[in-house]
Amino acid sequence: MPDLNTFKLEGTKLVPVNRFNLEPAKPSTAFTAVTMNKANDFKVIEHPIIHSIDIKPILVFPFVENYFPLIEGDKAINENDYFKDYFKNEITLFFPQVEIMPNNGTVFYYENVPDKLGNKGGLLGKVTLKYSIKEKPLQNNQKSIVLNLKEAILNLKVNLDFVKINGTVNTATQEIQFDLIDEAVKIAFLNLVSNLNDLKCNIDLFFDFKGYSKIKRNFLFARDISLLKSQNITKKDLTITKTAMQPKAVLINSPLMVRADLQTKVAPKTVISGIQLENSIKSNVQEEYVKSTFLLKVNKTLSYPIGADPTISLYKTIGGGFVNIPFNLNEDFSQFKQIFVTGFNFSKLSIYKSMVQPNTFLVISKVYSLSKDLNTMKPCISTIFHAFEDGAGTAEEISKISFQFAIGPNLSEFDLAKLKIALLQNNFLDGDTTDYFDKVQFLFPNDIGAEYEVSGNYFLQQSDISTDGKHFLFDLSTENLSEASIMINALNNTISQYANINFQHKEIKDSSIIELNIEKTIGEIIEATIDNLTKKIQIENQSISNCKLNSALLVYNQNATYINSVFFKTYPQLISNDTKLLEFLSLNPNSSGELKNVFFDFENIENISSEFSQIVSQSTAYNRYVQVQIKAQNASVNKITIELTVQETGSKFIIERLKSEFSTPILFNFIIKNTFVNNTLISYKVNYFDKNDNLIGSSNEVFDFSKSSKITINKKS
């Protein structure tokens, strides 16, 4: 896991560097047990995206008194624990009592489903429950913690293994429904009526609640040298005028966060003291409290023995209650079966249909890419340069460089909406297909607790990897400055870094490709607001890059759909923060009924190479940037390779450019340790190749980076 005590400066605010604001993680992802004996190994954790929020009391009128528990320590928390209130120490807070019962006199219902020939085709069923939250008897100085049910998971047991079923929660009526298919129907029934504790199923209820926790700092600080003198642009700042914005430039934050002082090498302790002074950080205060979102897991065993009177039975079919046992359990079943859907190639994604839960599909994207932050719309990547570690000052003060980034499946909401339509058209949906857009559920490998392994890239294989929803969070620290420079150069020059990520879950074995490229980020950047009264859709580009719209998919009542791509063939690009209005009739001339949703297929037009001149000017005593420019070449030159060696450190780098890329400058970055050696030379060899990859010329040169920041590759003589 990333180091929770590593911070950076975001403007004037100190925030943890490993916090990316991604889509909220599913509780079922975070707490999937691997084996039955580990089912109780659970700790309440903080939501991973909260800690950068400033805590400022907000007065609301009329005033409603809220209570927030002060959570200290790292012990496992259960529903019987109690806490002191953060604002009023004399108040003690308790969790309320949670109860589970059958819903409207029915806990289990099933039907036999015929196939196309009218023969018995399978089973469809459901488990229906109701929950209630009741306050415990409390004294005047005791209060209840407010809980909100986020997700429910039914754990079916079979042969010392388990099958997890995601439930549908209705917080308004406090009802929970678990939809089942085929073997899961049999397993659920036998679990519910069993007299054996090892075969009784149980339900996990995940409640979220607000509280305060303590953050400790160890003062591993890094100094931010931004390319722009202005503040970082956030989603809130996007209300400024477009002329004042420089959307391309803010994509490139200097990858190394050190003090920008080219004249003298400041002692690291002095650097830290300066940062503390600038931001009013007291070194003797080693902790602060932050407001966080916590998850509480409540587990309840479900056991309802079958009775003798059908009229009051909790087990029903279309003909009413039953008291017999109609199933024989088949323990040899597959949870997922691979399917192939017309229009979706295997190179795009793999699709597996659940054999235990209707209209549920596991999708494995064949490409995982760098994700965008939901707030800033900037790539979820941070590079932290540790110039000092407390008590470890030496002549060579640079000790470690850390990379943290988040990747996610390269499947947009538009792709998933089209997949729902294709599943309907290819007859892969179960039961009544009315409102199928709301019934279809997509799972990702993390949602089923699939094992994963990264291979094919030595650098990425060394990372510590954790999961957050459908995203993977990579954390890599290295003391090898040459390796770090290679990664930084790849990011600066938008050169893709590739790796394989292999998934395994019971009978499923599949793989995807990781493509790490700062100009190929994923994330929904178009915000659409539908107004059915005026028959208009307002769209806004929330990204800091331009956006090109390709298609729109409209979803109406009764799930009528319409796709329009012709309209956008001549539609102009949306610049950052641009807002436009689209007429219903422009997208669908035959539109009728209420528009429920709209999905856009778009391209994010990112370009960071034009900002090289700015980033070169930000070289520091530790971190150097050099721009490599290739002059126009003879027609016979089809490829050029450049082999650079930093003489002070011995670090070697090889850069390759094809003819079509000669005009694009290369941003070359390297790191120098904090020593008294003043060797400022780079030796480089240039090789020229023809279209058949024959070597047709070479030259050896030496460059002094203290005198210039630009290496020019001359025309082949």
Side-chain angles (χ1 to χ4, degrees), residues 563-575:
I563 297 179
N564 188 328
S565 56
V566 176
F567 176 81
F568 295 101
K569 285 186 176 180
T570 57
Y571 199 78
Q573 290 185 11
L574 290 176
I575 66 174

Side-chain angles (χ1 to χ4, degrees), residues 259 261 263-272 387 397 621-622 674:
R259 198 171 188 88
D261 191 340
Q263 304 301 320
T264 59
K265 294 187 176 182
V266 182
K269 290 184 179 179
T270 306
V271 174
I272 292 177
E397 297 292 354
Y622 294 133
N674 184 20

